[in-house]
Amino acid sequence: KMVDPTLAEMGKNLNEAMKMLEDNQRKVEEENEKKYARKDIPGPLQGSGQDMVSILQLVQNLMHGEEEEETSQSYRLQNVGEQGHMALLGHSLAAYISVLDRERLRKLTTRILSDTTLWLCRLFRYENGSAYYHEDDREGLLKICRLVIHTRYEDYTLEGFNVLYTKQPVIYISCAARTGLGQALCNQLGLPLSCMCRVPCNTMFGSQHQMDVALLDRLIKDDVESGKLPLLLVANAGTPGAGHTDKLGRLKELCEQYKMWLHVEGVNLATLALGYVSSSVLAATKCDSMTLTLGSWLGLPAVPAVTLYRHEDPSLSLAAGLTSSQPVEKLRALPLWLSLQYLGHDGIVERIKHASQLSQRLLENLKNLDFIKTSVEDELSSPVVVFKFFREYSNRDQTSHAAQASTIQHPIISNERHICDTFNQWLGEQLAQLVPASGVDVVELEDEGTCVRFSPLMTSAVLGTEIQDIDHLVDCLKMKIPVLTSTLQLREEFEQEVRGTASLLYIEDLAWPGLGVVRYNYHSDEKNDDKQEKELEKINTELLKKLNELESDLTFSLGPEFGGQKNCVYIGMVTEDLDVSELVETIIATGREIEENSRLLENMTEVVRKGIQEAQLQLQKANEERLLEEGLLRQIPVVGSVLNWFSPFQALPKGRTFNLTAGSLESTEAMYVSKAQGTGSTPPPTPTSSLAKQRLPGQKAFKRSLRSSDGFSETSSISHCEDLEKQDQRPPNLSPGQEQGPLERERAEEQKEVAQAKTDTEDIHSDKSPPDCTTAEDQASQR
């Protein structure tokens, strides 16, 4: 087919042009993609990816933090031993096993799940039980609640919440249970908070942290009469706070009476693996379900919690989510399956037994300490030790405090308890900081207040706590008790001393663990509140700086970061040899010194300002006088210079100098005459405080010398006075510690003889002189 060559050439050029345009468009799109990748994609995802070393380095930096954070805040890593490595290996193996074919994966997961369930039921004496493995320790109880709902409400699967509306379910939880447990269950189950009933603990008989069984019985009867359905009871085998166990035997009988489900949880369930188990904990083996947290008990990281339960209908268990048909979900038990085989029965029992021995060791030492009160349910086998510092009163004080306690919420009683809680908070923080391997923490109990808790079943396997750590903890506690007692005693004396002075203001801060809080009052006649507040802040800040510069054992600070008073000086813990009066006097004297120096600076600033104004006026007046003296002709530029050349005008310089000390302007005429600058009047002395109290060598500030101490007694004070008298009798050219040699003694004797001869000569002349003295003119005339 013939084609017009012109058209052919045009088509060729068009193809080349379109190709060029398409290439340019493609380049633009590629550049836009690169620009998009650079701007919006995070750095580690750019390019072809990162190597393994860089990724692990990033993970290490995220785990340990930056170097600045390490120096400012210490952190504590978990003690991961070989058994921990087995648990971590289980997570990797679970991911690797999940890629197997479905039939092989099903057989493997069934074997792992059945073995782990059988081992745990045998270890913790829970026969014929099933197991549910979960990451969140509350998830097992949640699934159990759903199982009970499906069991008690037959039409729940079809009608849902309509069945619950006709007959409202009730879940009973102890007041000593974990905080927020009831609310979390209601939120996950879609139930109102009215379905949750909190059962009070015993207040008259038995432990203060055990559930009141008689009151629970009445609550259940009231709910049944009102048309509600008692569904489930959550009991404790070791409360989260004090570690006490409920009366599980009586609670089980009550649940069987009302067809309720009994679920038990708590740290004391770990003792079921021991050879000897207390009867109160052994009753937990008859409950319907229990939750075990093996990770903390055995020191296994990332190990799931286990909920053991007994139920005959597997379809309801599947509907409640306790069992799953997915093999991958059954692999949750793999880390625990590996760890239990690695530890063995002896290793598991040994770890739990070691934790119980640590508690017994601490409890035996605490019994011999004064000012320490323990709150332990069973002293023979209690795995949790709770103790606190308390103040002992005499018989008279106990009678007065009992009378005050009879009143309703007496302010003195409440203040004393608040102070005691503050001191125990400080004690727990100090012990945790001094002995981090002990794992002690601070817990708030309803009746006892703030206490220090030692729960080795939750911490010893993780931290590697040993017997020597408990001994170290007791030694640190013995050192802190005298500080607490002396601070508590001197706190009242300090308050009285400060309230008796007009210059200081006592700030009552019950949340401050120390001697007290004080503020220096700034007295001013001005009505500007902002200026007074700034001046008050300036004085108290400088006061805090001056007090910290003194050589003392006290700690002065601005108080806590949050919740503290402004413009105050917070004084920390003290010892019994503190001189409170000297401390208060020093604070007053230092504050006055700072205030006087501040006022002196303000006065000097005002004087200088007025002096400058006066100098400007005098300079203006001097210029006017110079114009009158020189005349008008001398001010004309050319005429004035010619006139000054023929008839020079001589005038004395009239300068002025400003005296800062006197605050006035003075003439410089005397300076030009004497060719030297005068010193003027003597400046006033700078106000200083009389803080230099006589102390013994090495004695720090605010320390009073105890009569029983070896460094200072009556005998030493008398000998010290005698030494001072001997120092006064020494020749002035000798230092107190320098003795006289032979040459010095000879010179001293010669000086003594010359002085005696001079005295005798003066006496002779005075005796020979006539009684009537003549004048100088008479003597001259006689000569």
Side-chain angles (χ1 to χ4, degrees), residues 169-205:
V170 182
I171 301 175
Y172 301 91
I173 294 181
S174 172
C175 288
R178 287 180 291 174
T179 304
L181 179 61
Q183 184 177 2
L185 290 177
C186 290
N187 293 336
Q188 294 296 325
L189 296 172
L191 298 176
L193 292 179
S194 59
C195 294
M196 193 62 54
C197 179
R198 293 178 61 86
V199 183
C201 296
N202 290 342
T203 56
M204 297 298 295
F205 304 101

Side-chain angles (χ1 to χ4, degrees), residues 333-400:
L334 181 58
L336 196 56
W337 184 73
L338 296 174
S339 301
L340 292 178
Q341 292 184 78
Y342 179 82
L343 290 173
H345 177 266
D346 294 340
I348 296 172
V349 173
E350 182 62 28
R351 288 178 176 271
I352 299 175
K353 185 178 180 180
H354 175 67
S356 301
Q357 291 175 352
L358 293 176
S359 298
Q360 294 301 314
R361 182 63 172 265
L362 178 61
L363 185 59
E364 292 174 359
N365 291 322
L366 293 179
K367 290 180 181 179
N368 301 325
L369 296 180
D370 297 331
F371 304 102
I372 294 297
K373 179 182 178 182
T374 58
S375 175
V376 179
E377 179 187 14
D378 186 4
E379 296 184 357
L380 298 178
S381 60
S382 179
V384 180
V385 179
V386 177
F387 62 94
K388 65 177 297 185
F389 166 79
F390 77 106
R391 182 177 180 179
E392 292 181 344
Y393 298 99
S394 60
N395 295 332
R396 182 178 179 182
D397 293 337
Q398 289 179 357
T399 304
S400 61

Side-chain angles (χ1 to χ4, degrees), residues 249-268:
R250 296 182 58 189
L251 293 177
K252 179 58 180 176
E253 296 175 359
L254 195 63
C255 290
E256 290 178 351
Q257 178 182 352
Y258 293 98
K259 298 180 180 181
M260 294 173 55
W261 186 284
L262 178 60
H263 178 83
V264 181
E265 61 181 20
V267 67
N268 293 353

